[in-house]
Amino acid sequence: GLRSGVGRWASRAMSFAAGLTKIVAGKKSEIADREKIALSWKDKEAKLLEEAVNLFKSRCVKEAELQKTDATISFEVITREIPDFPKRILTDSTYFVDSWPNGTTAESWFYATRGVNSSWSPGAPILFAEVLQAMLPKFVERVKDLGFPECNHEAGTWKVAVSWPTPDENSEKKKRRRE
């Protein structure tokens, strides 16, 4: 009697433990799948940021050709010129993402941005501003890498302000180095 009761309890405990092991394995597999999904957005985002930086550079060249030594450029305005950038739609005075670039989805953006441990609700609308907000710091870092002495994101806007030395400032620095 007692021995068979302990045996049944032990086998139930083992099956419960085995069930927990299956849960862990399932979660690990789910996370791995989400990481693959997130990768499609990360790859696309890198290309979009590269295009945005190239547009930013060409705008700076135009300013330099006008003999200016600074530029303030809106990241949001630049993104409108990128053909493959997520498209937006205005709904009740709020912009939502209407369509995603080929090979990406709202789900891929979600996991890349919020992390693979967050839970995605299929069909949940994504605010266009959230997409911009997630990309802006990465854009600013890439712009800083171009070597501007000053590069700032204007708080509360999509604008990035940069400046570069005047030809006079450059020749002064060269003179000082020679001395």
Side-chain angles (χ1 to χ4, degrees):
L2 181 64
R3 207 148 167 73
S4 64
V6 169
R8 262 195 310 255
W9 179 83
S11 69
R12 264 192 246 127
M14 289 303 274
S15 62
F16 179 73
L20 294 176
T21 301
K22 278 185 180 172
I23 290 170
V24 170
K27 278 291 172 192
K28 281 185 175 183
S29 169
E30 194 178 300
I31 297 298
D33 290 347
R34 289 176 179 182
E35 284 168 351
K36 280 184 204 137
I37 292 167
L39 204 55
S40 68
W41 173 255
K42 288 177 183 175
D43 290 346
K44 176 58 75 178
E45 181 184 50
K47 291 177 181 115
L48 295 172
L49 287 166
E50 187 179 323
E51 284 184 68
V53 168
N54 287 335
L55 288 165
F56 189 90
K57 286 162 60 174
S58 64
R59 292 230 165 106
C60 288
V61 168
K62 285 178 188 165
E63 294 300 312
E65 287 169 349
L66 296 170
Q67 299 179 34
K68 292 186 177 176
T69 59
D70 60 23
T72 300
I73 301 162
S74 168
F75 175 62
E76 185 274 326
V77 170
I78 283 177
T79 65
R80 295 181 203 173
E81 293 178 38
I82 301 171
D84 216 15
F85 204 83
K87 302 295 175 247
R88 62 190 185 167
I89 187 168
L90 187 61
T91 309
D92 299 325
S93 71
T94 303
Y95 283 101
F96 292 97
V97 176
D98 185 40
S99 64
W100 296 90
N102 278 345
T104 67
T105 60
E107 186 180 19
S108 66
W109 174 85
F110 181 89
Y111 289 131
T113 308
R114 301 239 180 104
V116 293
N117 290 314
S118 302
S119 62
W120 159 248
S121 304
I126 304 289
L127 292 170
F128 188 74
E130 250 187 292
V131 174
L132 292 175
Q133 193 63 51
M135 292 178 76
L136 185 63
K138 297 170 190 171
F139 175 73
V140 171
E141 278 310 305
R142 286 173 180 227
V143 169
K144 281 181 180 173
D145 289 345
L146 299 175
F148 292 105
E150 285 192 41
C151 173
N152 301 298
H153 164 237
E154 293 185 2
T157 73
W158 302 119
K159 293 177 183 173
V160 178
V162 294
S163 66
W164 50 92
T166 64
D168 303 340
E169 288 173 38
N170 264 349
S171 59
E172 282 298 310
K173 282 179 188 164
K174 283 179 188 156
K175 267 188 219 166
R176 271 187 248 134
R177 268 190 231 128
R178 275 189 248 131
E179 290 169 2

